[in-house]
Amino acid sequence: MFKQLLSKLPRKSSKADSGELTPRSSSGPIPSPPQRSGTSVGSGPVRSNSGKRMSSAVFPASVVAGIEPLVPFKDVPNSEKLNLFVSKVSLCCVTFDFSDPSKNSIEKDVKRQTLLELLDFVASGSVRFTEPAILAMCRMCAVNLFRVFPPNYRSSGGGENDDDEPMFDPAWPHLQIVYDLLLKFITSPCLDAKLAKKYLDHAFIVRLLDLFDSEDPRERECLKTILHRVYGKFMVHRPFVRKSMSNIFYRFVFETEKHSGIAELLEIFGSIVSGFALPLKEEHKIFLWRVLIPLHKPKSLGNYFQQLSYCITQFIDKEPKLGSVVIKGLLKFWPITNSQKEVMFLGEVEEILEAMSQMEFQKVMVPLFIRIACCINSSHFQVSERALFLWNNDQIVNLIALNRQAILPIMFTALEKNADTHWNQSVLNLTLNVRKMFCEMDEALFMSCHARFQEDEAKQCSAAEKRKEVWARLENAASMKPITGKTAVLVSPLATSITC
């Protein structure tokens, strides 16, 4: 049937044989060339490549077959439009090397015009797609989109790559049309999801997810929209999509810490979480604990922190009891030696505490405020400042006031040390304000903590004096002892003095 259809199509001109086909503008359809006797349009070799392909931008195809335009859809009856659709899609399976703009320019333009014509046809929604049409479309998208990316030689670090320019694929003007065509195809009311799920299957979804590692941000943006539509339309694939995304996150956190599309995948998952039914399934809670919380660990957290924080906030909005679980996870992965990440963690803690009930707050308040006290004493002024900003939040201040008997004794020493020794004036002013707030909350408790602090300081000074006296006696005894053999010699008593 395919040969019969192609035999009815216009014949190739001698001009086309000699490579002098004139490209047309994208505004109108490609006119059919004059007919001649000889081989039909579809009889030329069309390379079908459904297997794994190397990136056309880096690893050019070894063979480029000639490609010619077919008749426009408006020139065939409705009964033949779907067959013509399959023919045009099959011709678009030919791939080209886009690293050299001058190479095969005519053929590239013809393919581009054919893709645009297919895009208009799919958008019109005039014919319901049959199985052969769905199969041809999935195969064409696989041939053009699914490819292996070249190795990424850039270093992977959080804020270290902020100045790196994004990498742009030279084939993007062509790839964009294919992505738009796939999106229109998936969202078309003429596509039956029950029929299409056999071809848009698990293997197709896995290859689609692999493309999120593209360094081109434009491609990742298109993929994000397409995967979201696939998740919405094919309900049968939803568990598999979530599982495959989890595997990407696992590999990123525990193996490579290199992936370009974590932010986009988290953005998709944020919209998925917002649609979860209540009560949350155990599967979703496990995902929070095993995937989302460990995603705070990599150095490149800053690249996707906003999307990750949104996902976690969605979970807590769905089930507020998870707030204490998230706080425990954040304390487990707290970045003690990374000041930028500490600032981000403190911001996320504030968002979580805003939505937390008093009962959940009491489960984590002691370890949490021990960590906050350490942050207040940080020599990095941004960390100390961000920790003190927590007292600007009325909801958090109310929680602290209700539990001041446990929190003030933990915080008092850190506040006193900051007030006495911190080098930054802004931090010093914030510390005095927080100190004043505690005093106004409960003056008796504040004075009790102050008296205990002075007692502890006196004990520490006494212990320091005793250590000095012990060391002084040892130094004197060592200096009076005669030197024999290889006995160590005390050069100077001042050289061994210890500063407390």
Side-chain angles (χ1 to χ4, degrees):
M1 181 176 179
F2 184 66
K3 290 184 178 180
Q4 292 176 357
L5 169 67
L6 293 177
S7 64
K8 298 176 183 178
L9 298 174
R11 308 295 186 178
K12 292 190 293 183
S13 66
S14 57
K15 226 175 196 182
D17 285 341
S18 61
E20 297 177 3
L21 180 62
T22 305
R24 309 291 296 181
S25 65
S26 58
S27 59
I30 305 172
S32 58
Q35 292 187 352
R36 68 167 180 87
S37 60
T39 309
S40 64
V41 172
S43 62
V46 176
R47 187 167 60 90
S48 176
N49 182 7
S50 58
K52 210 170 185 180
R53 296 174 47 244
M54 306 302 282
S55 173
S56 63
V58 180
F59 306 100
S62 57
V63 178
V64 176
I67 183 169
E68 296 179 278
L70 297 176
V71 293
F73 282 102
K74 62 184 180 64
D75 292 348
V76 296
N78 289 336
S79 59
E80 293 295 333
K81 281 186 177 180
L82 214 51
N83 291 331
L84 182 58
F85 173 81
V86 173
S87 300
K88 288 179 178 288
V89 168
S90 299
L91 278 180
C92 290
C93 289
V94 180
T95 58
F96 298 102
D97 174 19
F98 285 86
S99 60
D100 183 2
S102 62
K103 189 176 181 181
N104 304 111
S105 58
I106 295 176
E107 290 86 346
K108 289 175 186 176
D109 188 68
V110 170
K111 181 179 179 181
R112 178 176 176 276
Q113 297 294 339
T114 305
L115 285 169
L116 290 172
E117 194 176 353
L118 287 169
L119 183 61
D120 292 338
F121 177 76
V122 172
S124 67
S126 56
V127 181
R128 292 193 67 82
F129 296 108
T130 59
E131 281 199 50
I134 297 171
L135 173 61
M137 186 67 190
C138 291
R139 181 180 295 147
M140 186 274 290
C141 290
V143 168
N144 284 276
L145 299 178
F146 299 160
R147 60 208 191 278
V148 176
F149 297 112
N152 180 6
Y153 294 103
R154 299 196 203 188
S155 61
S156 66
E160 299 170 1
N161 292 342
D162 290 344
D163 296 332
D164 287 347
E165 291 293 331
M167 301 288 289
F168 296 112
D169 194 327
W172 175 247
H174 161 78
L175 292 174
Q176 184 180 18
I177 305 174
V178 180
Y179 276 120
D180 290 343
L181 180 56
L182 177 59
L183 178 61
K184 291 289 185 184
F185 183 72
I186 291 172
T187 57
S188 173
C190 298
L191 179 66
D192 184 359
K194 293 181 180 179
L195 199 63
K197 69 182 181 182
K198 293 192 295 183
Y199 305 102
L200 286 163
D201 56 2
H202 289 181
F204 189 94
I205 291 171
V206 168
R207 297 296 300 278
L208 199 66
L209 285 168
D210 288 342
L211 294 176
F212 275 92
D213 202 17
S214 169
E215 291 190 43
D216 194 326
R218 302 168 299 181
E219 183 168 12
R220 298 198 303 268
E221 194 67 25
C222 285
L223 284 164
K224 181 179 68 176
T225 307
I226 289 171
L227 184 62
H228 191 271
R229 300 302 183 192
V230 169
Y231 188 88
K233 187 158 190 170
F234 299 92
M235 295 184 66
V236 68
H237 291 328
R238 288 182 178 182
F240 181 79
V241 171
R242 294 196 299 269
K243 181 180 178 182
S244 299
M245 291 171 69
S246 299
N247 291 337
I248 293 175
F249 293 137
Y250 285 139
R251 195 177 305 115
F252 170 71
V253 173
F254 299 109
E255 293 181 11
T256 64
E257 290 199 7
K258 293 181 179 179
H259 198 283
S260 301
I262 297 297
E264 286 78 10
L265 289 171
L266 285 172
E267 191 170 339
I268 295 169
F269 207 88
S271 61
I272 292 174
V273 173
S274 64
F276 283 163
L278 294 176
L280 290 176
K281 295 180 181 177
E282 192 64 25
E283 166 202 347
H284 304 325
K285 296 179 183 179
I286 290 173
F287 179 85
L288 170 67
W289 180 252
R290 294 185 180 176
V291 177
L292 293 184
I293 293 177
L295 275 171
H296 290 83
K297 179 183 175 183
K299 294 180 181 179
S300 55
L301 172 65
N303 295 337
Y304 55 84
F305 175 74
Q306 184 178 353
Q307 292 83 359
L308 176 60
S309 180
Y310 176 76
C311 287
I312 288 179
T313 304
Q314 289 294 309
F315 267 103
I316 296 173
D317 288 343
K318 290 281 183 181
E319 194 165 320
K321 291 181 180 179
L322 294 174
S324 58
V325 175
V326 174
I327 292 291
K328 290 175 183 177
L330 291 178
L331 293 174
K332 178 181 178 181
F333 293 104
W334 199 274
I336 298 173
T337 60
N338 190 324
S339 300
Q340 290 181 344
K341 285 180 68 175
E342 271 195 293
V343 172
M344 289 188 279
F345 272 52
L346 287 165
E348 188 169 1
V349 164
E350 182 175 1
E351 289 184 11
I352 295 169
L353 292 179
E354 284 181 347
M356 190 177 286
S357 65
Q358 184 182 352
M359 186 180 299
E360 293 300 314
F361 177 75
Q362 290 174 344
K363 293 179 182 178
V364 294
M365 64 181 180
V366 173
L368 175 60
F369 277 88
I370 289 174
R371 174 54 57 195
I372 290 174
C374 293
C375 292
I376 286 176
N377 286 144
S378 173
S379 57
H380 195 292
F381 81 95
Q382 289 180 338
V383 175
S384 182
E385 193 175 55
R386 189 64 188 85
L388 290 165
F389 279 154
L390 293 174
W391 275 262
N392 289 341
N393 190 302
D394 293 337
Q395 174 67 16
I396 296 175
V397 170
N398 290 335
L399 291 172
I400 293 172
L402 292 171
N403 299 276
R404 59 185 180 275
Q405 296 289 341
I407 294 174
L408 182 54
I410 297 172
M411 300 300 302
F412 193 87
T413 302
L415 293 171
E416 289 297 313
K417 287 183 178 179
N418 257 23
D420 292 338
T421 61
H422 205 282
W423 63 272
N424 185 271
Q425 187 61 43
S426 175
V427 171
L428 182 60
N429 293 336
L430 288 169
T431 302
L432 294 175
N433 290 338
V434 172
R435 192 173 177 274
K436 182 180 178 182
M437 288 175 66
F438 273 120
C439 184
E440 293 173 352
M441 279 182 196
D442 192 333
E443 187 174 356
L445 178 61
F446 184 87
M447 296 308 297
S448 172
C449 291
H450 188 269
R452 193 178 308 141
F453 172 76
Q454 288 182 329
E455 289 177 8
D456 292 341
E457 286 290 303
K459 289 179 182 178
Q460 289 178 10
C461 289
S462 176
E465 288 298 326
K466 288 180 180 179
R467 283 197 302 269
K468 286 182 180 180
E469 291 176 4
V470 170
W471 278 107
R473 288 198 300 268
L474 290 173
E475 289 167 357
N476 289 331
S479 63
M480 298 299 292
K481 188 175 181 179
I483 300 173
T484 57
K486 297 182 179 180
T487 304
V489 179
L490 181 65
V491 178
S492 169
L494 295 176
T496 58
S497 62
I498 298 175
T499 303
C500 297

